[in-house]
Amino acid sequence: MNRKRFLKQLWGTSALALLPMTSAKAFFKGQTFSKGKIKEKIVKADEGTQLHVLGNPQWQKVVGADTGNQVFEWIDDLKPGSGIPPHIHTKEDEIFRVLQGQVELMVDGRTTVLLEGDMAYAPKNLVHSWKVVGDENAKMWVSAFPSGMEHMFQEFHNMPPGPPDFKKVSAICETYGIQFV
């Protein structure tokens, strides 16, 4: 397939095909793409690796090993009152999508309540936090890119049952570039 036809099919317009190749090269300059053996992955709603993370179940849908370390996606099933205090990620951006319930999210000092179907983007290096509000559990589909946090969640899963030791949680987070503020 030639470039013009490909772009027309991809974006539904031939206008982009008129861009000179030098513009396309400039657009992609400095971006890295995985060249490893990455395969497709289909994960049904009731599938994924289940962990228990700080008292809540989590289903990891895709991890770095699946995506050439590009993205990690998971679903949290969160009890009312569950949350994460203000913190900063120095390595990854996050997208939060509420599937059920209500989640109060703060990003860079701006607080809003996300309802079913709402989403928010929290770029790295901005303070953010979230908390389940209301009387019902919330389900949240979260994406982090690049991947890596799945290893942190595995460490949390391996912690002894019971209320987590915040100093230990903080120390684990710091090894992954996450700092509480």
Side-chain angles (χ1 to χ4, degrees):
M1 176 182 298
N2 69 33
R3 179 175 177 265
K4 186 174 181 178
R5 184 170 170 218
F6 171 77
L7 290 173
K8 186 174 181 179
Q9 287 181 339
L10 184 62
W11 288 292
T13 177
S14 59
L16 291 173
L18 299 176
L19 287 174
M21 188 55 106
T22 55
S23 295
K25 287 179 183 174
F27 177 77
F28 289 111
K29 184 178 181 181
Q31 294 191 29
T32 58
F33 300 94
S34 175
K35 296 179 183 172
K37 289 188 175 189
I38 300 175
K39 300 184 330 182
E40 76 287 345
K41 183 173 185 179
I42 309 265
V43 184
K44 299 288 188 168
D46 60 347
E47 296 177 340
T49 302
Q50 185 176 5
L51 302 178
H52 287 278
V53 177
L54 304 177
N56 292 300
Q58 177 184 93
W59 289 267
Q60 296 185 351
K61 299 297 190 169
V62 293
V63 297
D66 300 322
T67 66
N69 298 318
Q70 297 298 305
V71 67
F72 164 45
E73 293 198 339
W74 69 95
I75 295 176
D76 286 319
D77 187 354
L78 304 158
K79 299 173 191 158
S82 297
I84 300 294
H87 62 285
I88 296 174
H89 293 254
T90 60
K91 297 180 180 180
E92 58 275 317
D93 299 329
E94 290 182 293
I95 294 176
F96 302 90
R97 298 171 192 89
V98 175
L99 304 175
Q100 171 188 323
Q102 300 177 32
V103 178
E104 182 180 86
L105 182 84
M106 183 279 294
V107 179
D108 200 26
R110 183 174 172 210
T111 302
T112 189
V113 174
L114 300 176
L115 306 176
E116 182 177 324
D118 294 344
M119 63 84 61
Y121 170 63
K124 66 183 169 196
N125 298 318
L126 288 183
V127 176
H128 64 283
S129 64
W130 59 261
K131 181 180 180 179
V132 177
V133 294
D135 298 331
E136 67 177 270
N137 279 18
K139 282 193 178 180
M140 194 161 51
W141 187 302
V142 186
S143 303
F145 42 97
S147 64
M149 285 178 32
E150 63 269 32
H151 306 294
M152 177 184 72
F153 289 135
Q154 184 65 54
E155 288 193 47
F156 293 154
H157 174 75
N158 294 338
M159 292 175 71
D165 176 344
F166 187 73
K167 282 187 176 187
K168 187 170 185 173
V169 169
S170 289
I172 291 170
C173 287
E174 285 184 24
T175 66
Y176 292 93
I178 299 169
Q179 301 154 354
F180 290 97
V181 295

